[in-house]
Amino acid sequence: MAFIFKDWRPNIARRMNPSRSEQRWFNKATYAKTNNGYWLAWHEGDNLSRVAFLTPTHPEGEECRWLESWDNTDTIETAINYFELGEFEQDEKDYPDGFVLNLFIKNPETGEWE
């Protein structure tokens, strides 16, 4: 499981946002580092509308990437699991031109997407 930092991580904030275009957002973010080396940043109480992330091999000086969610029931645990379980790497391989993350899960009992 990821280690969640409750205080500001200035070095990570600068790596995620070298242009300082979103400095206010990053100054108020909560940060986590996954067990496989991803850095995540988000705002508590935002219903995870946006999660900034750096891959373990993210180039220095390049802006972070964003995981955007449209479901108000998404949790940070869902986002962390997405990275820690290798699902992000698989999606990048399967969709090299980009993809939209759908955090719905198929209920094995009903067969419905939730």
Side-chain angles (χ1 to χ4, degrees):
M1 185 64 173
F3 187 82
I4 298 175
F5 299 87
K6 292 296 183 184
D7 55 339
W8 184 49
R9 311 305 308 170
N11 291 336
I12 298 304
R14 280 192 290 278
R15 279 194 60 213
M16 288 185 158
N17 186 37
S19 69
R20 306 283 198 274
S21 61
E22 301 257 0
Q23 186 169 355
R24 296 178 88 187
W25 191 92
F26 284 99
N27 288 350
K28 296 177 182 176
T30 300
Y31 293 85
K33 186 170 187 183
T34 66
N35 62 13
N36 56 346
Y38 286 85
W39 277 97
L40 310 177
W42 71 95
H43 282 194
E44 295 285 345
D46 270 2
N47 294 324
L48 292 194
S49 58
R50 297 193 318 164
V51 176
F53 69 94
L54 294 175
T55 65
T57 59
H58 197 85
E60 286 290 329
E62 188 175 299
E63 296 287 325
C64 68
R65 297 172 65 184
W66 295 90
L67 176 66
E68 300 198 36
S69 172
W70 295 274
D71 186 349
N72 288 337
T73 61
D74 293 339
T75 65
I76 192 59
E77 290 81 13
T78 304
I80 289 170
N81 285 335
Y82 176 67
F83 290 100
E84 288 189 335
L85 297 176
E87 294 173 26
F88 174 76
E89 288 96 346
Q90 189 59 50
D91 282 345
E92 276 208 317
K93 287 177 190 170
D94 292 346
Y95 308 100
D97 295 329
F99 58 91
V100 174
L101 173 64
N102 182 345
L103 293 179
F104 287 97
I105 298 171
K106 194 171 191 178
N107 184 322
E109 294 177 14
T110 65
E112 297 292 320
W113 289 95
E114 300 176 343

